[in-house]
Amino acid sequence: MTRWSIWIALVLACQSVPAADLKVGFNIDRPPYVYVDGAGNVAGIEVDVARAALARLGFGMKSEVMSKSRMLPALKGGQADIIMSVHGKDEPGVYYSDGVVEYVNIAISRKADRIRLASDMDLDQYRFVIWQRGWADLGPAFAARYRPDEQGRFRDNYFQSSTQDAQARVFWARRVDVIVVDRYVFHWYRRQLAGSMKTDDEVEYHDIFPNTTVFAAAFADRDVRDRFNAALKAMRADGAYQDIVNRYR
């Protein structure tokens, strides 16, 4: 066999090797961003975005369900190559990506209640429900007003729920006047609860929060992180990212 034919054989052999699967940790129960579907698979906007971006780099993806507390130790310990829905700063062995998903939080009220909200300060007049530790996610002024006191007590009009399913139920049960939530999350649970609760009231959307909540991914490999960032940027530019989001509207 000539040197040329040996080189061709090596190239073809390399091309036939399947792409490696990267282990990606997801914290679930945040539909439509991340959840377990009826077939038992991890699904959602964040999952599809991660899979599509990694595919552009030639990687497959193996989804792993993890608690928030387990995610960073799993990455540092080699049980995961990537963890999703995190914030942080780079450190040895942990490299954070650009934002992968962005929660655009709004206040929503029932139209019949004729609630007018010009700014988040107007929430002081109404009972509202937000996600767990939501007081810390909407800017320093909001946190100053709604953080718990030294005894762990919240203001009388502030309610938070441990899950967003419970948050939606509190709103549709009319136990509060306003729900503070991401628009996609709101519509997801509105559809999911329609069979067991009255969720067809007309609603008003109040865009009163200047800050969005952005979640990144963390990588064990800095080069993969850099390439992932480039793939994300390309997906946003060519419309592939928005196509994924649109499937969950």
Side-chain angles (χ1 to χ4, degrees):
M1 182 180 288
T2 66
R3 289 183 180 178
W4 178 253
S5 59
I6 292 173
W7 182 83
I8 292 292
L10 288 172
V11 169
L12 291 174
C14 290
Q15 289 178 339
S16 65
V17 175
D21 282 347
L22 296 184
K23 291 180 287 185
V24 183
F26 291 94
N27 180 241
I28 58 169
D29 198 25
R30 292 184 295 105
Y33 292 93
V34 188
Y35 62 98
V36 175
D37 66 17
N41 300 313
V42 182
I45 294 172
E46 188 176 71
V47 180
D48 289 354
V49 168
R51 181 180 291 110
L54 291 174
R56 292 188 179 212
L57 308 182
F59 293 110
M61 185 176 86
K62 183 179 179 181
S63 301
E64 302 276 351
V65 176
M66 297 181 180
S67 65
K68 277 287 188 186
S69 61
R70 182 182 160 225
M71 295 181 91
L72 193 56
L75 185 71
K76 291 181 176 181
Q79 290 84 45
D81 301 299
I82 306 168
I83 54 174
M84 305 297 294
S85 298
V86 290
H87 304 104
K89 295 182 179 180
D90 287 4
E91 58 180 287
V94 182
Y95 306 100
Y96 290 88
S97 74
D98 297 335
V100 179
V101 294
E102 181 179 69
Y103 287 64
V104 180
N105 299 304
I106 55 175
I108 302 172
S109 63
R110 285 170 286 271
K111 191 170 185 178
D113 293 341
R114 299 183 179 180
I115 289 173
R116 296 291 176 261
L117 300 174
S119 73
D120 60 2
M121 293 185 65
D122 292 332
L123 285 170
D124 294 354
Q125 307 169 56
Y126 304 102
R127 299 168 303 159
F128 70 92
V129 64
I130 198 168
W131 58 91
Q132 189 79 18
R133 286 185 54 82
W135 60 266
D137 294 331
L138 297 174
F142 190 87
R145 290 204 308 282
Y146 286 106
R147 64 165 47 96
D149 64 19
E150 292 180 357
Q151 286 73 44
R153 295 173 302 196
F154 292 100
R155 292 177 60 157
D156 289 344
N157 68 316
Y158 174 98
F159 300 89
Q160 60 179 21
S161 295
S162 58
T163 69
Q164 293 198 290
D165 174 80
Q167 183 190 4
R169 290 178 183 276
V170 167
F171 176 74
W172 290 115
R174 304 187 69 88
R175 290 166 53 192
V176 295
D177 307 302
V178 177
I179 182 171
V180 177
V181 67
D182 171 83
R183 186 187 292 258
Y184 290 126
V185 172
F186 176 77
H187 287 300
W188 173 274
Y189 282 109
R190 189 178 196 176
R191 291 192 297 269
Q192 295 299 307
L193 296 175
S196 59
M197 303 185 73
K198 187 180 185 310
T199 66
D200 60 352
D201 292 340
E202 284 191 79
V203 296
E204 296 267 15
Y205 300 99
H206 310 275
D207 187 9
I208 57 175
F209 299 106
N211 299 322
T212 58
T213 304
V214 179
F215 287 100
F219 291 71
D221 186 296
R222 180 164 46 191
D223 177 65
V224 176
R225 185 276 311 272
D226 292 343
R227 293 168 61 204
F228 182 86
N229 281 343
L232 266 183
K233 185 176 181 180
M235 287 173 63
R236 294 183 188 276
D238 64 25
Y241 185 100
Q242 191 59 45
D243 287 345
I244 290 172
V245 172
N246 290 344
R247 294 204 296 266
Y248 292 88
R249 280 183 169 174

